[in-house]
Amino acid sequence: MTRTEIVHTDTGDARITWHPARGARRILAVSHGAGGGIEARDLQALAQALPAHGVTVALVEQPWRVAGKKLAPAPKTLDTGWRGLWPALEKPGLPVIAGGRSAGARVACRTAKELGAAAVLALSFPLHPPGKPEKSRADELLGAGVPTLVVQGGNDPFGKPAEFPEPDTFELVEVPYGDHGFAVAKRAPTSQEEALETITGAVVTWTRSLG
């Protein structure tokens, strides 16, 4: 049974939708990007798949999204909102993996060490703005300071897997033919369902490896 919780933060009310696992060993808290919400295909796939593997999934909506705004605020404001809801994520007393897609992945990386996250899951990490590889955000990823898994679409204009630094401080899994939202073209030799299975399979395997 899913449940929804409103959490008050310094930037407004955030919302957590809990997908509990029986006998949960850890919590995966994942937030959305700057252009969408928790209805994103990868977030929904993880929420459906991981509880069967002992991982409670908490889908997090930042205050700007709960308030119905269409544009995400500055990174500093996103970080403040994330910090404000972190105590609610820790309340069950389990290790919390900080995660997110796109802008949410950046927030998770920037705050992981400070908040005591057990690990970071970065979905579609926006390594650079499209067409501007010189404006790299690799420092945010490399500075996470905890075990980190990057799941990246093979055709992501915000950074293809080959553009990432050598993964000595993080693991990287490619979703073949996936774009920034992990959508695959109908003409691609892999299906949308297979792309989502790649994501969920990689995350399940990785969470088990965390011990």
Side-chain angles (χ1 to χ4, degrees), residues 18 26 29-30 34 42 45 47 63 70 85 98-99 103 105 112-113 131 145-146 149-150 157 162 164 177 184 209:
W18 294 91
R26 56 179 54 87
V30 280
D42 50 335
K70 294 183 178 181
L85 58 85
K113 198 169 182 181
V146 296
L149 175 66
V150 177
F164 279 72
Y177 309 102
V184 296
S209 76

Side-chain angles (χ1 to χ4, degrees), residues 3 5 15-31 46-47 50-60 82 85-100 108 112 115-121 146-147 203-204 206-208 210-211:
R3 66 180 178 88
E5 178 181 1
R15 183 163 51 217
I16 303 173
T17 301
W18 294 91
H19 295 257
R22 287 188 178 180
R25 300 186 307 275
R26 56 179 54 87
I27 293 167
L28 171 62
V30 280
S31 188
L46 291 170
L50 265 65
H53 299 276
V55 181
T56 287
V57 177
L59 298 182
V60 175
W82 186 250
L85 58 85
W86 191 259
L89 298 169
E90 288 186 311
K91 192 172 182 180
L94 296 171
V96 182
I97 300 169
L115 294 174
V120 164
L121 173 62
V146 296
V203 176
V204 166
W206 176 69
T207 55
R208 285 175 178 164
L210 295 173

Side-chain angles (χ1 to χ4, degrees), residues 71-207:
L71 295 176
K76 184 181 293 186
T77 303
L78 294 177
D79 291 356
T80 298
W82 186 250
R83 290 187 188 100
L85 58 85
W86 191 259
L89 298 169
E90 288 186 311
K91 192 172 182 180
L94 296 171
V96 182
I97 300 169
R101 72 161 357 270
S102 194
R106 295 180 64 193
V107 173
C109 288
R110 288 193 299 260
T111 60
K113 198 169 182 181
E114 164 199 346
L115 294 174
V120 164
L121 173 62
L123 302 162
S124 297
F125 186 86
L127 186 64
H128 57 71
K132 297 181 179 180
E134 72 280 2
K135 295 188 176 182
S136 176
R137 298 161 179 147
D139 286 350
E140 291 182 354
L141 176 63
L142 298 174
V146 296
T148 301
L149 175 66
V150 177
V151 183
Q152 201 76 5
N155 290 330
D156 192 332
F158 287 82
K160 294 179 174 60
E163 296 180 74
F164 279 72
E166 284 295 317
D168 55 348
T169 61
F170 62 94
E171 298 177 47
L172 191 149
V173 170
E174 178 176 347
V175 180
Y177 309 102
D179 65 10
H180 194 58
F182 296 120
V184 296
K186 289 184 178 180
R187 64 180 181 278
T190 188
S191 68
Q192 187 66 67
E193 182 177 340
E194 288 171 330
L196 293 175
E197 288 173 353
T198 296
I199 297 167
T200 57
V203 176
V204 166
T205 300
W206 176 69
T207 55

